[in-house]
């Protein structure tokens, strides 16, 4: 199993487990992480699954595709480490991945 750590804006943390090839979005949804809404169901059409990838892991992810980039231009609180969690595919190399949840926007 792969551990994913979700960090709320107040600093509180939840550690969840996911299977290899799950998406970070799936790990959040399967474990009741409420800061990730995912209105489109992970179909890369809403940007409500926005997260900030901890800098220690940001370079381990492949770069965002064109559609993800376009959607990220629409999010509040965008940073260089912003990604859409439905586009983060988990692997053993990402065990311990830390994802920060931006403030809720809706
Ligand atoms: Fe909609 Fe990721 S869940 S873009």
């Amino acid at each position: 199993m792969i551990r994913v750590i979700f960090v709320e804006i107040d600093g509180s943390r939840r550690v969840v487990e996911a299977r290899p090839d799950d998406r970070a979005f799936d790990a959040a949804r399967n474990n009741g992480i409420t800061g990730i809404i995912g209105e489109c169901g992970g179909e890369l059409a809403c940007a409500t699954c926005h997260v900030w990838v901890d800098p220690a892991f940001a370079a381990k992810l492949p770069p965002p595709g064109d559609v993800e980039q376009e959607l990220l231009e629409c999010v509040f609180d965008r940073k260089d480490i912003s990604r859409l969690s439905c586009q983060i595919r988990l692997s053993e190399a990402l065990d311990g991945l830390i994802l920060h949840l931006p403030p809720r926007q809706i």
Side-chain angles (χ1 to χ4, degrees), residues 19-63:
R19 295 180 302 256
D21 218 34
D22 278 353
R23 300 167 299 176
F25 169 76
D26 301 314
R29 187 172 55 179
N30 293 341
N31 291 282
I33 302 295
T34 56
I36 293 178
I37 298 168
E39 283 180 352
C40 75
E43 297 297 325
L44 192 53
C46 72
T48 61
C49 63
H50 175 215
V51 292
W52 295 319
V53 177
D54 192 273
F57 288 90
K60 294 184 176 182
L61 299 179

Side-chain angles (χ1 to χ4, degrees), residues 29-105:
R29 187 172 55 179
N30 293 341
N31 291 282
I33 302 295
T34 56
I36 293 178
I37 298 168
E39 283 180 352
C40 75
E43 297 297 325
L44 192 53
C46 72
T48 61
C49 63
H50 175 215
V51 292
W52 295 319
V53 177
D54 192 273
F57 288 90
K60 294 184 176 182
L61 299 179
D66 291 345
V67 176
E68 183 180 0
Q69 283 281 20
E70 288 174 18
L71 287 170
L72 284 169
E73 289 173 11
C74 303
V75 301
F76 293 106
D77 301 313
R78 182 179 180 182
K79 299 182 179 183
D80 289 345
I81 53 173
S82 288
R83 295 298 300 263
L84 298 180
S85 60
C86 69
Q87 301 304 301
I88 300 174
R89 189 67 65 178
L90 299 173
S91 66
E92 296 292 345
L94 293 176
D95 185 39
L97 175 65
I98 300 171
L99 298 175
H100 300 267
L101 301 172
R104 294 189 192 154
Q105 289 149 32

